[in-house]
């Protein structure tokens, strides 16, 4: 029998494949629907905005702590699958496409934060390691559309979108069957309104959350631009454009083992120093990228792989730090609010970088660098007192 953690992380992998379906088929979608790079960025931002609205509702209603996490996850996955599939019927109306991506984002708000709560409910100890698996599967799930596009070999990109919806339905069945763990109450009867904000009064939670916000600023701008950057690099080297989805998949998916390695490292070093080192590494790559991008293609691809690893490896550790410092009776609401604000940062960074990429090219990495700089600054407090140790 598969362990509960295994079921949760596989369901997370399948459910979060909804996140970047337009990006996975970016070239064909832009060609068939006549979209610009700016509009592709707006589609991604619509998902982020939907996620923000969904997590805000969850956070301030206490929804995540009033109802069984498994039921919220399963219902959200079904709704997300439906909204994602309906996106295909929006070719003649970009506003309709934005609407369906927005609603997909709302649905994802019941998948990602609730997945974290399910992990804590089943595996209360070594959350940095366990959440490393969860975020690793989020990473792999986000990269799946690129691989599915590669497998389709340029044909019928619509099946990539529908395939993600099928994956989400499977994830709903898995989590509904698993149920909630025994280490957190199935539901909380006390009034939850405003409880999520109280978590930010706790210094360790606040520091972890702000570092997470900086991490999100860089991460989702990078993931959005990966296929665009890869296409530019391959065209410059006169490599086949058919390699773009596969190279993009590898660059994003390599973050999955990086999350697992970081989770193992957190068991020895603690989550704070692990996150700090990863954030420092990705920040350095942001700094040097405009110069590296002009080098030999093999060097460029190696640096992109390192960026793909370090940009996500720290993500789970912020959640572990936050979970370790937050009262369990409103943990779900607090994590949802933390996610919501973090993803609000991504709307600005995605919009800014996709709009300016055509003008400043590789120097767009310096815009991403703002996130790591903020995160490294606030992490100093957590290095002195790591609540996960």
């Amino acid at each position: 029998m598969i362990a509960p953690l295994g079921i949760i992380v596989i369901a997370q992998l399948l459910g979060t494949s909804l996140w970047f379906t337009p990006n996975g088929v970016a070239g064909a979608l832009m060609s068939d629907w006549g979209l610009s790079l700016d509009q592709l960025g707006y589609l991604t931002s619509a998902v982020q905005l939907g996620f923000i609205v969904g997590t805000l509702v969850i956070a301030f209603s206490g929804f995540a702590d009033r109802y069984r996490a498994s039921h919220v996850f399963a219902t959200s996955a079904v709704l997300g699958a439906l909204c994602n599939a309906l996106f295909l019927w929006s070719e003649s109306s970009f506003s309709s496409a934005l609407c369906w991506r927005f609603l997909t984002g709302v649905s994802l708000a019941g998948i990602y934060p609730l997945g974290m709560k399910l992990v804590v409910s089943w595996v209360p100890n070594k959350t940095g390691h366990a959440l490393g698996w969860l975020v690793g599967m989020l990473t792999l799930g986000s990269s799946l559309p690129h691989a599915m596009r590669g497998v389709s070999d340029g044909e019928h990109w619509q099946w990539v979108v529908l395939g993600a919806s099928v994956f989400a339905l499977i994830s709903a069945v898995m989590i509904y069957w698993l149920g909630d763990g025994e280490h957190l109450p199935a539901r909380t009867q006390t009034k939850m309104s405003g409880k999520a904000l109280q978590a930010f009064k706790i210094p360790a939670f606040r520091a972890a959350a702000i570092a997470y916000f900086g991490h999100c600023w860089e991460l989702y701008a990078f993931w959005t631009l990966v296929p665009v950057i890869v296409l530019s690099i391959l065209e410059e080297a006169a490599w086949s454009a058919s390699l773009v989805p596969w190279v993009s998949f590898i660059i994003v998916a390599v973050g999955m083992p990086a999350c697992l390695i970081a989770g193992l490292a957190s068991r020895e070093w603690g989550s704070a120093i692990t996150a700090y080192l990863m954030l420092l590494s990705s920040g350095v790559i942001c700094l040097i990228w405009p110069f590296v991008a002009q080098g030999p293609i093999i060097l460029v691809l190696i640096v992109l792989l390192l960026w793909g690893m370090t940009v996500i490896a720290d993500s789970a550790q912020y959640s572990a730090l936050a979970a370790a410092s937050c009262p369990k009776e409103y943990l779900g609401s607090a994590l949802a609010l933390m996610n919501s604000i973090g993803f609000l940062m991504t709307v600005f960074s995605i919009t800014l970088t996709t709009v300016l990429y055509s003008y400043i090219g590789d120097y767009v990495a310096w815009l991403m660098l703002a996130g790591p700089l903020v995160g490294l600054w606030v992490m100093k407090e957590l290095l002195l007192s790591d609540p996960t140790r």
Side-chain angles (χ1 to χ4, degrees):
M1 180 180 293
I2 302 177
L5 178 60
I7 294 172
I8 296 169
V9 298
I10 293 171
Q12 183 85 346
L13 162 65
L14 300 177
T16 53
S17 66
L18 300 172
W19 217 308
F20 280 92
T21 46
N23 300 80
V25 295
L29 182 62
M30 292 169 70
S31 175
D32 285 4
W33 287 14
L35 302 182
S36 65
L37 177 58
D38 292 0
Q39 288 176 309
L40 180 66
Y42 297 150
L43 286 175
T44 306
S45 294
V47 179
Q48 309 300 80
L49 282 170
F51 185 84
I52 291 163
V53 170
T55 48
L56 283 175
V57 171
I58 287 174
F60 288 107
S61 67
F63 199 79
D65 298 299
R66 281 201 186 124
Y67 301 99
R68 297 178 66 87
S70 56
H71 291 179
V72 178
F73 185 112
T75 302
S76 300
V78 171
L79 293 175
L82 178 62
C83 294
N84 182 67
L86 289 171
F87 167 77
L88 292 174
W89 281 266
S90 306
E91 179 178 359
S92 60
S93 173
F94 185 67
S95 59
S96 177
L98 288 173
C99 177
W100 289 121
R101 293 310 292 164
F102 174 84
L103 292 174
T104 301
V106 173
S107 301
L108 284 163
I111 295 176
Y112 182 37
L114 273 296
M116 288 191 288
K117 184 177 180 181
L118 282 167
V119 166
V120 176
S121 77
W122 283 100
V123 190
N125 300 317
K126 302 295 182 182
T127 53
H129 182 208
L131 289 173
W133 275 96
L134 191 75
V135 177
M137 288 303 180
L138 165 68
T139 304
L140 194 57
S142 298
S143 69
L144 268 182
H146 295 295
M148 293 163 68
R149 175 62 175 162
V151 170
S152 70
D153 194 27
E155 299 294 330
H156 308 300
W157 60 267
Q158 294 86 350
W159 287 106
V160 175
V161 178
L162 290 176
S165 290
V166 172
F167 286 159
L169 292 175
I170 294 172
S171 76
V173 173
M174 293 174 66
I175 292 298
Y176 188 84
W177 173 80
L178 175 67
D180 291 32
E182 61 183 14
H183 297 286
L184 287 178
R187 62 181 67 189
T188 301
Q189 299 297 337
T190 57
K191 185 179 179 182
M192 286 289 107
S193 179
K195 287 289 187 178
L197 284 174
Q198 290 185 18
F200 284 85
K201 297 179 181 179
I202 304 169
F205 183 94
R206 185 171 61 246
I210 294 174
Y212 174 73
F213 303 156
H215 153 79
C216 285
W217 175 276
E218 177 195 11
L219 171 64
Y220 281 90
F222 174 71
W223 275 359
T224 300
L225 285 176
V226 160
V228 179
I229 293 172
V230 169
L231 177 61
S232 175
I233 291 169
L234 296 189
E235 285 182 339
E236 183 70 22
W239 287 21
S240 172
S242 65
L243 294 173
V244 171
W246 287 115
V247 175
S248 301
F249 166 71
I250 293 170
I251 290 170
V252 177
V254 75
M256 186 268 198
C259 288
L260 304 186
I261 293 170
L264 290 172
S266 72
R267 299 181 68 171
E268 299 296 326
W269 302 342
S271 291
I273 191 170
T274 302
Y276 188 91
L277 291 174
M278 294 300 101
L279 193 61
L280 177 63
S281 299
S282 66
V284 168
I285 295 174
C286 286
L287 181 64
I288 67 173
W289 176 251
F291 312 107
V292 172
Q294 306 307 314
I297 187 169
I298 299 303
L299 173 63
V300 173
L301 291 176
I302 289 172
V303 174
L304 273 176
L305 285 173
L306 291 174
W307 201 354
M309 294 174 68
T310 57
V311 75
I312 184 63
D314 50 341
S315 188
Q317 305 314 314
Y318 304 119
S319 298
L321 289 162
S325 56
C326 180
K328 297 299 183 285
E329 62 267 21
Y330 53 88
L331 175 62
S333 298
L335 288 176
L337 181 59
M338 174 175 150
N339 285 162
S340 182
I341 299 173
F343 278 80
L344 178 60
M345 298 297 101
T346 73
V347 174
F348 295 116
S349 67
I350 289 170
T351 302
L352 188 65
T353 53
T354 53
V355 168
L356 294 181
Y357 183 81
S358 300
Y359 301 97
I360 62 177
D362 297 319
Y363 287 94
V364 76
W366 287 2
L367 298 176
M368 299 183 206
L369 180 59
L373 289 177
V374 170
L376 291 170
W377 177 259
V378 299
M379 284 288 288
K380 295 185 294 183
E381 179 180 339
L382 292 171
L383 291 174
L384 297 174
S385 180
D386 185 341
T388 66
R389 295 301 300 269

